[in-house]
Amino acid sequence: LPLHYRMHFAVLVFASVATMTTFGLDNGLMRTPPMGWLAWERYRCDIDCKNDPKNCISENLFIDMADRLFEDGWKELGYVYVNIDDCWSSMERDKDGRLQPDPNRFPGGIQRLARYMHDRGLKLGIYGDMGTHTCGGYPGTTLDKIEIDAQTFADWEVDMFKFDGCYSNAVEQELGYPLMSKALNATGRPIGYSCSWPAYQGGLPPKVNYTQLGQICNLWRNYGDIQDSWNSVLSIVDWFFENQDVLATAAGPGRWNDPDMLVIGDFGLSMEQSRSQMALWAIMAAPLFMSNDLRTISSGAQSILQNKMIISINQDPLGIQGRRILKEKVGIEVFWRPLSNNASALVFFSRRTDMPYRYKTSLSKLNYTTGSYKFTDVYTGKTDVLKDSTEFVVSVNPTGVVMWYVSAPGKLKYHPFIRGGKLHGPAYDAEENTFPQVFL
Amino acid sequence: LPLHYRMHFAVLVFASVATMTTFGLDNGLMRTPPMGWLAWERYRCDIDCKNDPKNCISENLFIDMADRLFEDGWKELGYVYVNIDDCWSSMERDKDGRLQPDPNRFPGGIQRLARYMHDRGLKLGIYGDMGTHTCGGYPGTTLDKIEIDAQTFADWEVDMFKFDGCYSNAVEQELGYPLMSKALNATGRPIGYSCSWPAYQGGLPPKVNYTQLGQICNLWRNYGDIQDSWNSVLSIVDWFFENQDVLATAAGPGRWNDPDMLVIGDFGLSMEQSRSQMALWAIMAAPLFMSNDLRTISSGAQSILQNKMIISINQDPLGIQGRRILKEKVGIEVFWRPLSNNASALVFFSRRTDMPYRYKTSLSKLNYTTGSYKFTDVYTGKTDVLKDSTEFVVSVNPTGVVMWYVSAPGKLKYHPFIRGGKLHGPAYDAEENTFPQVFL
């Protein structure tokens, strides 16, 4: 979108650790964005195990994915959650009113599946819906069922719970999502809690209260479901960065905005687009849930998803969600995220659909303060040192990114956010967790 | 687009060879769709040889691509044209009023470049514009310059000429495009003639006269320029198949609709989408001009572009442009093209963006007549025999295709179009070169 924004500088303000750790669901979980695998985007509500046995929603699918996570190097990188989505349950609750898995597709039961994960250092996630039915028409969790369902999941030794919001109204949701948070905590089992609530309320204040969400949920879906297409990825990117001033302040250790699954390794994204989704999800401090077929994934897609430097950027312990800091008329956008150890991440993204664009800039134009910076291109491994004033050119491919990890060459004794050192990177007000406004 | 069309059958009518060979520019060229490489989509008007020497429009670029076509197996498959597009010329004509190449970027001149191609069994194409300027602002070919420019290209031993239409009006175009056809013929050198005329007149009758186009041009651009994106490919596919009744009758040996370049091997298409572009261009009997970097192309993209069976479908000597015969509500579309030797090509295409769709049908539902058919999946090589009445399932990936080459197992003595045998394939009126209407 060829809009040209000029940047105005904001005053640098110092930060304290306290402002970044005040909020967050008090279950001690997900101090960095959760990582793993989630069935929905790739497998949907495929329950046709007769004709499509390898892809239907069944314990075999989750066991297959667990095996791949365990054996193919995913687990060590942090991809530990194996998450069931909709269509796992029987159409009827059991005689005691508890949810039960479909007996044909999950003959071993959920607890055995959870133990299969735990035996391999993995975790199991499960899905429910605040409402009369799940989106796929399976039994929902009405207000009166919240306690029993939370207890059921805890009894099964489940590690994460996604609470969808089909077939309920705003009043029921306002009651149900906090109640479920309390009920999960009351079980005594640490269960990561993913809330779809804001996505059902438009994702923005005043309807959505992000302070409250940070207190009751570990992550939340703000926006619509991702699809296996670049248009879908772009619409999500657009929404999240257009609303970054509202959203970024909501995120932090234990509480994350969730722009939805990674569709890297599926059918709709080119390699460039796959690199872009990975880079922008890292800038957003987004949960990294792949939804793909790890049994047949291409080596190209796997190497993007297993890029250690990008994962470490995504998992930075400060947990500060990054921002778009520049939109150039020519279709280049620049994104920035402050990281621990006085470092930062930069993404140069091209919305062009013609040819690689040679974008000329300097770190000082990107609001970096005077000094020398070491950078590493996270996809090529190329490393160099740049003065803030040095003009450089990055060649950005159509729908692709160039992503840098930027650090000052000398280690600083104190982290600027913590000790009040001068921030290296675009002017950022960590006290308020706000960012310099970018004006038209 | 989830529209469901029911098919109604049309009467089978017999054909004669005559109806298929009456038209076509009488230069004997391009009896099958031309194949090769064209600079525009990938390299545009990049004239920055100082900073971008490997990618700027210069003789080196065309020599590099010729070397790749010659050495990497492309030439043997039919990719023989190496085509220059806009921005090759000097900003001034020479003292005799002739176009001349930019001396810094084409120091050896065009004739030497043509001979470089000819020495390797390749051909050289060049570009001009019916108007005061080319689209990129270089000297155009006004009506008074048509003869001298045609003669210049012939003197240079050029093999193909693309005549763009920026900076001219409808009246000038109506004069200029036929005049250029005559002028090229008058040189005595066979020069394939690509006309952008219909694209400037909306691509449809009554403004566009396809009978005339078939008499003066070997190929013509009907629609807007392709971009390196799946949206762009889809918009072209939509337009061409929505207007198939008008367009398909215009095509035949020596005269082709041109939906524009293949962007396979660039940045915007996934592998599935690349397979889809190749399959649908083959169904359309489209010219196959790649616009990509053959020096760095991935093996995946190369193998799609070098698929022998798809190329042979594209190059079928009957030269009948195929059609979309079915649009299913679920997002599956079926395309069909009749081929020589009583064969046909089928493409099952998915517009879905969720997961592979298991599409159930039979050959008789696709209007094949009673009998047994051998088919080969052109991408997997899988072969089988099917009765027309046998129900089968094809699993079509999101934005992907399954493409079959279908033949009757026994060879027929006579080709049905020529001798009046019963057509194996959807009812098709080759006399009228029309197709059964597909009704809502």
Side-chain angles (χ1 to χ4, degrees), chain A residues 1-209:
Chain A
L1 300 179
L3 301 171
H4 181 63
Y5 285 73
R6 285 191 303 129
M7 296 174 69
H8 291 239
F9 291 40
V11 179
L12 274 172
V13 180
F14 307 139
S16 77
V17 144
T19 54
M20 279 179 271
T21 55
T22 305
F23 303 125
L25 175 57
D26 196 20
N27 58 10
L29 292 174
M30 301 182 175
R31 307 302 296 170
T32 62
M35 298 171 63
W37 185 93
L38 175 56
W40 182 257
E41 194 291 317
R42 175 63 183 78
Y43 298 95
R44 310 279 166 152
C45 194
D46 179 357
I47 58 171
D48 184 7
C49 292
K50 179 157 169 279
N51 292 307
D52 200 15
K54 297 293 284 181
N55 301 305
C56 67
I57 301 301
S58 74
E59 61 184 30
N60 292 332
L61 181 67
F62 298 95
I63 286 170
D64 277 0
M65 295 305 154
D67 290 349
R68 300 276 55 78
L69 290 176
F70 184 64
E71 292 171 23
D72 297 345
W74 301 99
K75 189 190 90 171
E76 290 70 18
L77 293 164
Y79 292 99
V80 296
Y81 286 95
V82 182
N83 286 7
I84 301 168
D85 206 275
D86 204 348
C87 308
W88 62 270
S89 82
S90 172
M91 279 296 184
E92 305 291 338
R93 289 174 175 265
D94 72 10
K95 62 179 187 346
D96 301 316
R98 288 177 301 200
L99 291 170
Q100 53 184 345
D102 180 278
N104 296 314
R105 294 183 283 114
F106 293 86
I110 304 298
Q111 183 166 18
R112 200 174 76 173
L113 199 53
R115 292 197 172 159
Y116 190 90
M117 304 304 161
H118 300 159
D119 288 347
R120 286 155 184 78
L122 301 171
K123 296 170 186 290
L124 184 70
I126 203 162
Y127 166 100
D129 186 280
M130 170 64 236
T132 56
H133 298 84
T134 72
C135 302
Y138 290 79
T141 303
T142 44
L143 294 170
D144 58 308
K145 293 290 193 300
I146 282 175
E147 281 190 26
I148 192 174
D149 288 355
Q151 191 58 51
T152 301
F153 301 141
D155 292 345
W156 287 344
E157 301 170 36
V158 158
D159 306 293
M160 182 170 168
F161 176 60
K162 173 178 171 181
F163 207 22
D164 211 343
C166 278
Y167 302 111
S168 56
N169 61 37
V171 173
E172 290 161 339
Q173 290 175 8
E174 189 154 356
L175 292 167
Y177 280 97
L179 270 179
M180 178 58 84
S181 184
K182 277 189 191 165
L184 290 171
N185 276 340
T187 67
R189 182 173 178 85
I191 298 178
Y193 181 34
S194 168
C195 299
S196 300
W197 187 15
Y200 285 88
Q201 300 301 327
L204 295 174
K207 280 199 176 173
V208 174
N209 178 346

Side-chain angles (χ1 to χ4, degrees), chain A residues 41-46 48 51-52 227-229 231 266-273 352-356 358 397-399, chain B residues 41-46 48 51-52 227-229 231 266-273 352-356 358 397-399:
Chain A
E41 194 291 317
R42 175 63 183 78
Y43 298 95
R44 310 279 166 152
C45 194
D46 179 357
D48 184 7
N51 292 307
D52 200 15
Q227 308 296 333
D228 187 8
S229 79
N231 282 350
D266 292 319
F267 307 101
L269 301 195
S270 70
M271 283 295 111
E272 292 297 332
Q273 293 157 3
R352 300 178 70 94
T353 54
D354 56 351
M355 53 184 246
R358 294 167 49 82
N397 290 335
T399 69
Chain B
E41 194 290 316
R42 176 62 182 77
Y43 297 95
R44 308 281 165 151
C45 195
D46 179 357
D48 184 6
N51 291 306
D52 201 14
Q227 308 296 333
D228 187 7
S229 78
N231 282 349
D266 292 319
F267 307 101
L269 302 194
S270 70
M271 282 297 110
E272 292 298 331
Q273 292 157 3
R352 300 177 70 94
T353 55
D354 55 351
M355 54 183 244
R358 293 168 49 82
N397 291 335
T399 70

Side-chain angles (χ1 to χ4, degrees), chain B residues 303-323:
Chain B
S303 76
I304 292 167
L305 290 162
Q306 295 196 342
N307 185 299
K308 283 184 187 177
M309 199 171 286
I310 303 185
I311 291 172
S312 81
I313 291 168
N314 175 271
Q315 295 287 303
D316 186 83
L318 287 182
I320 299 171
Q321 180 171 331
R323 316 265 185 146

Side-chain angles (χ1 to χ4, degrees), chain B residues 330-358:
Chain B
V330 294
I332 301 293
E333 300 181 2
V334 185
F335 301 79
W336 179 81
R337 179 178 170 187
L339 302 171
S340 53
N341 299 318
N342 198 34
S344 56
L346 274 176
V347 168
F348 305 92
F349 172 53
S350 172
R351 289 181 180 264
R352 300 177 70 94
T353 55
D354 55 351
M355 54 183 244
Y357 186 83
R358 293 168 49 82

Side-chain angles (χ1 to χ4, degrees), chain B residues 126-203:
Chain B
I126 204 163
Y127 167 100
D129 186 279
M130 169 64 235
T132 56
H133 298 85
T134 72
C135 302
Y138 289 79
T141 302
T142 44
L143 293 170
D144 58 309
K145 294 289 193 299
I146 283 176
E147 281 191 26
I148 191 173
D149 288 356
Q151 192 57 52
T152 300
F153 301 142
D155 292 344
W156 288 343
E157 300 172 38
V158 158
D159 305 294
M160 181 170 170
F161 176 59
K162 173 178 171 181
F163 207 20
D164 211 341
C166 278
Y167 303 111
S168 57
N169 60 37
V171 173
E172 291 160 339
Q173 291 175 9
E174 190 154 354
L175 292 167
Y177 281 97
L179 270 180
M180 178 58 84
S181 184
K182 278 189 191 164
L184 290 171
N185 276 342
T187 67
R189 180 173 180 85
I191 298 179
Y193 182 33
S194 168
C195 299
S196 300
W197 186 16
Y200 285 88
Q201 300 301 327

